[in-house]
Amino acid sequence: MSEEQTRQSEGSSQARGVTVSDIQELIRRKEEIEAQIKANYEVLESGLQVDDEIVEFGSVNTQNFQSLHNIGNVVQHSEGKPLNVTVIRRGEKHQLRLVPTRWAGKGLLGCNIIPLQR
């Protein structure tokens, strides 16, 4: 048997080694991965968004806010812990929970918070 025929024979025997249950398992894993991607996307969609107006960030609110340093201090002291955040988004109030976490970029939130320009 030539080398080419041997390779073809090995390839077809490997193809015969795949069972219906192997394929079903791959489909199940694919569906799990897609569900996880969807869940992660929904988390991203529900987090802070451009033009959200923050009215409460942990212990900082509209009554005691002095500067962005207040928010920075809350974030630093809340690393790894859930933080309640209230925003006004397109005129509606939304309650969010953020967990400040180290990542590859700067800071613990993965975004920049800037003062509202009125």
Side-chain angles (χ1 to χ4, degrees):
M1 187 181 287
S2 74
E3 188 177 323
E4 179 66 24
Q5 289 172 327
T6 303
R7 273 198 303 260
Q8 287 176 351
S9 174
E10 287 173 356
S12 64
S13 66
Q14 287 175 342
R16 277 185 255 130
V18 176
T19 65
V20 172
S21 65
D22 291 336
I23 293 170
Q24 289 171 333
E25 175 64 17
L26 287 173
I27 291 170
R28 185 190 64 73
R29 287 177 45 202
K30 174 187 166 279
E31 289 170 351
E32 283 178 0
I33 291 168
E34 287 174 342
Q36 190 175 20
I37 289 169
K38 184 177 186 240
N40 289 340
Y41 181 77
E42 288 171 359
V43 167
L44 290 174
E45 280 293 300
S46 68
L48 287 176
Q49 297 180 6
V50 172
D51 294 328
D52 279 354
E53 184 177 335
I54 299 170
V55 293
E56 183 179 3
F57 198 99
S59 60
V60 179
N61 58 46
T62 56
Q63 304 302 310
N64 64 13
F65 175 80
Q66 294 173 355
S67 74
L68 289 178
H69 291 290
N70 301 116
I71 291 176
N73 287 335
V74 169
V75 169
Q76 291 298 319
H77 290 96
S78 300
E79 183 176 354
K81 300 175 201 148
L83 195 58
N84 292 322
V85 177
T86 304
V87 300
I88 304 296
R89 179 179 296 151
R90 293 184 288 282
E92 294 181 16
K93 190 181 263 191
H94 293 271
Q95 302 288 327
L96 311 174
R97 291 195 86 169
L98 302 179
V99 180
T101 306
R102 295 214 177 273
W103 64 295
K106 287 175 53 177
L108 299 172
L109 294 177
C111 66
N112 289 324
I113 297 175
I114 58 171
L116 181 64
Q117 303 296 318
R118 292 197 185 246

